[in-house]
Every structure is written in C-alpha cells, then in structure tokens.
Amino acid sequence: MTEHRDTVAASDKHAPPPADGDAVYDGGIADFDAGRRTDLYRYVTADNASDYLAVMDLFTATLLTDLSAAEVHTSLVADGLDVRVEEVEYLCRRLEEWGNVVRSVRDARVATVSEYLRSRSRYQVSKLGGRVHRDVGAILDASDGAREVARELLGGTATVLARIAKAIDAIRTGNSERVDVETLAADVTTVFLNQRAFSDSATDFYAFVQGRISRYDLAGDEFAAFKTMLLDYVELISADVSRHAPGIAATLERIEGGLDVLLPTLDTLPGLAEAGTERSPGRRREDWVDLTAWYTGRRGRSGPDQLRGAADQALGQLLANAKRMLAAAGTGVSRRADLLKLATWFDTADTVTCQRLYDAAFGAYPARHAIHGPEEENGRAGPTTSWWDDDPVDVPLSLRERGDRTARGRTSRIPDPGLIREQLIAQAHAEDERKRLAAAELCAVGHLNGAHVSPAAQQLLLSLLSDLLARAQSLDCNSSTTDTDLALRLTATPDPDAATVIHSPDGDLTIHGMTLTTRAITQPGTQPGSPSMAATS
C-alpha cells in the first residue's frame, strides 16, 4: 500500500479548452466573479442537460459529497443512464468551468496506478452551484396548478413580533437576564423566513390567477371551478391580510425604534466573523427597514395594498368574462363553442368532406381573383391572374382586425371620369405606338429566317401567324394575312424541307415546313407601319 496526497492543478491537459466567454472557477480559493454568475445556469439549457442534471443530483444528494468521475459514472450506470466514463469526465470538467463544482483536495490511499488514475480528479459541489441546483430542482418539480398562499404565517408572524418587542422592552428596562438570546434570535429568523414564504406564495398564486383569467376560452365547467376557487380563496386571503397586517405594521414600527438594542444583543451570539459572510436575516438594520416598509408603504404602495389590488383586479376580470359569456349577442372574441362544433364535424366526416369543410371554414380556396374589386387601380387583372402576380388590395382596418364591414367616416369622393378617360386614352395611344414600331421592324426585316427581332415584334408576328393558320384551309400553296391597321402583310410559303427560325430575347421561335416573309402594304394616305383610318380584311 502506498499513500499519495493528490494536489490538483487549476487546469488539466486532458480538459477541453474553455469556450469563449466561459468563466473558470479556480477551486474555491478566490470568489467567483459576480458578473459571471449566470454561467452557473448554463448546464440547465445545454444540449445534454439531462446528463448534467443527473450529475448535479449526485453531488447535491448529501453534504460534502466528494466523488471522482469514475464514481459518478458507476452511480449513473446503476441508475440506468447509458453514458461512458470519458463523457462523465467531460461533464465534470464543464461543470467546473461554469463554477457548479470545484476540485477536491484530499488524501487518497491507492494500491495500483490504475486506482490512482481513477481517483486523482475528484469534485464536490460549490456553494453557489448547490444553491442554483436546489432552485432548479424546485422549478422542475413545481406543478402547473395554483400554489396555496401561506396565509397562516401572518398570525404566527404577529405573535412572534410581539415577543420580540417584549424582549426589547425587557432589555431596555435592565431585565436582560430574563431574555433568552437564543430564543430571541430564533424568533427573528422565524419572522423573516415566514415573510419570505408568504410573499413568494402570494406572488405565485396571483401570477397563476392572472394567467388563467386572461384566457378568453375559459368557459363551462372550467370557468365554474375557477370562479369558485377565486371567490372563496381570494376572500380568505383578503380577510387574513386585513386582520393581521395593521397589527404587524404597528409592532414593526415599535421594534424599529429599538433596533439599537436588538441588533447588539443578537451580535453577542457566536457566529462567523469573516468579512463578506452572509448573515442570517434580521441581523442588519436594512432588513428591518425593508420589512417595515413592506407593511407600512413608506416607499410607495404597501404589500397588503398590492394584495388587495390584485384581488380586485382578478375579480373584475372574472366579472368581465362572465358578462361576455352571458351577453345575448356576444362580443365575438371567444369562438370556443364554434371551434368545438367544427372539431366535431371534422371528427365525423370522411376525407373528401373534411377537405371541403376545411376550405369553407378557413377560406382555403385557390389564390385567384373572382371579381374586380372597386378599389383596384389596375383593371387588367382577370380571373386567371394569381394573387402573387397582381398588386395588393388594401383591406380596411375595421374589417381586418374586427371583422366589421360597417362603413365609417365620410363618404368617399366619386372619382372624376374625365381623368380615367384620359388615362385610358393615353394607354391606348402607347399601345398603338408599340404596335406601330413592331410593325415597322417586321417590314424592315422582310425574310424572317435567321432574323433577330424585339419581344414586341415577336408577339405581333405570333398574332399574325395564328390568324393566318386559322384562316388558311390548307398550307399547300402560298397563304397570307394582312393587318390593315398597321399596313403589314405576312406571307407563308410551304416548303417541307425548310424551317424559319426567328431569334428574340424572349427565346427562339421555329416554324417547320414553311418560310415566312413580311412586307408593307401601301394605301392611299397611309405609310407602312402606321395605322389606317379604316380596317378591311
């Protein structure tokens, strides 16, 4: 047997380097940086948080738990967790970097080198790490239901405060031998612990009430049960607060005047003298000043007033929900009954009926224009125009948010038809100009095979070609079509071995089995490519 004292360095060559922004706890010698204490919570939201929680459960199971990574691995495997010892070592080192555990220095008696390697890195929970894990465990174990308010503590607080005030009077009158300082210190600690438990439970209860009562779908048996709980329990809390709060406030003001006697008396008890020590509650003047202010309202609204205000607000919201449900017309805010009926229809319908029902209930129709809206400036959108391609349509605020189609405000001004007429005339002139330029371009080309034309000219050519194919009975001989408006003629010559290829930025157009040519026709008083006064076909 050999004896070895394991002194662990602050870093280990096998440990992964700390991530950017990680705080490293130096084994407990120096205080943990107060600005980095949020790192203590990082193991709760890590990717493998369940493994970290299991490791922290082992370290906080008993006082002064001192374990190596191998011992932690053995315990985890015994609990049914499938994890390797290397992974446990990594988890412990990460917890050390975040400050949740610290390295342990102790005498290790080993018989072999392998036992030394297994026990050389030992860990124990840090002060802040243990406190954080206790809070995390309390949050994970808490239920989603309402938490009872520790209202019974108010009466006990009033009784204990009366004993403290009586002890202060005895010390002032020189009868300090009749005062048990240990009992006095226990009473002081009891007062502050009771106050913390009462305020925390009241805060949790009213937070639950506010979250539940703000639901617009609260109805039926659920609403009735919540109404009974709220009316009975809130009245019970308000009665206890009204009965005990005035007496507690008066006693606290009386004790505050004797703090010069009370605090030195408490300091006579043995305790930690180290600087920076967290003392028990009630050993500082600030603790009593804050407690007195909570009951008297020196710094604003008192705690009892806040509890009564929260109760009034909850009851007012309860009445508002009751009025909403009992109103004949309804406000239209809650659609719970409608949604339940719709869900019943879905449950009893077949697949085809479900699809039709879904389309009808939620308006899931194809995104197409059915009609032209009166506010659309672009009148060219038709039934085949997709919503993705068309301009957006403004929906009135009252219809978008409240579903109300009632017209409000002044009547809109009637649009001036003269302006619309001028706009349409300008658009017609622009379109005629585009066609005229396209016709002039085709007249200049002549033989179309291998020609490069603009997109507008190609569209005009396709229009003439479709008209030619529709008019011609057969393509065994030359066929032609004429646009008298543009003074343009398209001629098609059959040739089974030929093909006409026309190039355009929109793509190449190939016409097999014929050659195409264009030429201008002249009419009295017209120029090629210009619109004529009369059209003939």
Side-chain angles (χ1 to χ4, degrees):
M1 297 290 290
T2 61
E3 181 175 342
H4 175 74
R5 177 176 298 274
D6 181 17
T7 303
V8 181
S11 61
D12 188 82
K13 65 180 180 180
H14 299 290
D20 293 340
D22 286 351
V24 179
Y25 200 36
D26 62 359
I29 299 176
D31 291 338
F32 193 61
D33 184 5
R36 309 298 296 276
R37 293 186 180 183
T38 54
D39 287 343
L40 293 166
Y41 295 90
R42 293 179 62 174
Y43 77 98
V44 184
T45 58
D47 293 336
N48 49 346
S50 59
D51 296 341
Y52 283 112
L53 290 171
V55 173
M56 289 298 296
D57 287 339
L58 292 177
F59 282 112
T60 57
T62 59
L63 295 177
L64 301 178
T65 300
D66 183 273
L67 298 172
S68 65
E71 293 170 343
V72 173
H73 173 261
T74 302
S75 300
L76 294 179
V77 172
D79 293 338
L81 188 63
D82 185 13
V83 63
R84 297 178 303 170
V85 65
E86 294 82 3
E87 296 174 352
V88 174
E89 179 69 25
Y90 174 76
L91 296 177
C92 292
R93 290 176 180 174
R94 293 296 290 172
L95 289 172
E96 181 193 9
E97 293 169 7
W98 294 332
N100 300 95
V101 299
V102 296
R103 292 291 181 100
S104 174
V105 179
R106 74 166 196 174
D107 293 337
R109 303 182 67 88
V110 295
T112 63
V113 175
S114 60
E115 291 183 6
Y116 163 69
L117 294 176
R118 288 168 57 88
S119 62
R120 66 191 182 94
S121 296
R122 307 187 67 85
Y123 305 91
Q124 63 184 22
V125 68
S126 64
K127 169 198 166 184
L128 297 180
R131 182 181 297 185
V132 166
H133 191 68
R134 288 193 297 270
D135 293 341
V136 169
I139 294 297
L140 295 178
D141 295 337
S143 65
D144 295 333
R147 177 183 177 183
E148 287 189 346
V149 179
R151 57 182 185 81
E152 67 277 0
L153 297 179
L154 291 174
T157 299
T159 302
V160 175
L161 286 175
R163 290 204 303 263
I164 295 174
K166 186 177 180 180
I168 292 175
D169 293 339
I171 296 174
R172 279 179 170 176
T173 57
N175 297 323
S176 58
E177 65 278 359
R178 300 173 53 184
V179 177
D180 186 353
V181 181
E182 292 284 351
T183 303
L184 178 61
D187 288 341
V188 170
T189 303
T190 300
V191 165
F192 284 90
L193 293 181
N194 287 352
Q195 175 61 24
R196 178 178 299 176
F198 171 75
S199 60
D200 290 348
S201 61
T203 301
D204 291 347
F205 172 74
Y206 281 105
F208 166 80
V209 168
Q210 186 61 31
R212 178 64 64 87
I213 208 168
S214 61
R215 289 172 45 190
Y216 286 105
D217 61 338
L218 193 64
D221 296 338
E222 189 178 11
F223 176 82
F226 182 71
K227 177 193 67 175
T228 303
M229 183 271 291
L230 188 60
L231 292 177
D232 296 343
Y233 201 64
V234 168
E235 179 63 25
L236 193 62
I237 296 173
S238 301
D240 288 338
V241 172
S242 300
R243 182 170 64 254
H244 295 293
I248 293 176
T251 306
L252 285 172
E253 290 180 340
R254 178 183 169 190
I255 293 175
E256 190 176 12
L259 291 179
D260 295 337
V261 176
L262 176 62
L263 297 180
T265 303
L266 296 176
D267 290 339
T268 59
L269 292 175
L272 294 176
E274 182 182 355
T277 300
E278 288 188 52
R279 304 195 64 188
S280 299
R283 270 59 175 180
R284 301 181 308 157
R285 179 178 296 271
E286 292 79 7
D287 297 339
W288 290 96
V289 171
D290 293 340
L291 181 61
T292 305
W294 193 89
Y295 280 96
T296 60
R298 293 176 182 174
R299 301 173 181 174
R301 197 176 183 187
S302 65
D305 289 342
Q306 295 180 21
L307 293 177
R308 285 189 286 267
D312 294 341
Q313 182 180 358
L315 294 176
Q317 185 64 37
L318 182 68
L319 293 177
N321 286 353
K323 291 179 181 179
R324 172 181 56 80
M325 291 186 296
L326 296 177
T331 60
V333 175
S334 176
R335 304 298 299 275
R336 183 174 185 271
D338 297 340
L339 292 176
L340 289 177
K341 189 173 183 179
L342 180 63
T344 303
W345 290 348
F346 275 116
D347 186 55
T348 56
D350 54 18
T351 303
V352 177
T353 306
C354 281
Q355 293 177 353
R356 297 179 59 189
L357 183 61
Y358 183 86
D359 292 342
F362 301 103
Y365 300 104
R368 302 291 180 184
H369 284 281
I371 59 175
H372 298 157
E375 300 296 334
E376 294 187 37
E377 297 181 358
N378 184 8
R380 299 180 180 275
T384 59
T385 303
S386 172
W387 286 100
W388 292 107
D389 301 329
D390 194 26
D391 297 332
V393 178
D394 292 332
V395 179
L397 180 64
S398 59
L399 178 61
R400 184 171 65 249
E401 294 190 353
R402 299 185 293 273
D404 186 7
R405 298 177 179 269
T406 304
R408 289 182 171 84
R410 298 180 302 173
T411 304
S412 301
R413 296 178 58 185
I414 299 176
D416 186 1
L419 297 177
I420 298 178
R421 187 182 303 111
E422 292 179 2
Q423 183 180 5
L424 294 177
I425 292 174
Q427 292 177 357
H429 282 307
E431 185 172 356
D432 289 341
E433 180 66 17
R434 287 194 297 270
K435 288 185 176 180
R436 187 186 65 80
L437 294 176
E441 182 180 355
L442 291 177
C443 291
V445 172
H447 293 282
L448 296 178
N449 186 26
H452 293 265
V453 298
S454 64
Q458 187 184 54
Q459 291 296 327
L460 178 59
L461 175 62
L462 289 174
S463 177
L464 294 174
L465 182 61
S466 62
D467 184 69
L468 184 146
L469 296 176
R471 291 174 182 273
Q473 298 298 327
S474 67
L475 296 178
D476 296 336
C477 58
N478 292 350
S479 301
S480 64
T481 182
T482 304
D483 189 334
T484 56
D485 289 342
L486 300 175
L488 176 65
R489 176 171 295 170
L490 173 65
T491 301
T493 302
D495 187 354
D497 299 330
T500 301
V501 180
I502 304 168
H503 306 284
S504 173
D506 289 346
D508 294 342
L509 173 63
T510 303
I511 300 97
H512 297 279
M514 64 178 65
T515 59
L516 300 178
T517 59
T518 57
R519 68 182 182 86
I521 61 174
T522 58
Q523 297 179 6
T526 62
Q527 296 294 331
S530 62
S532 61
M533 299 301 295
T536 60
S537 60

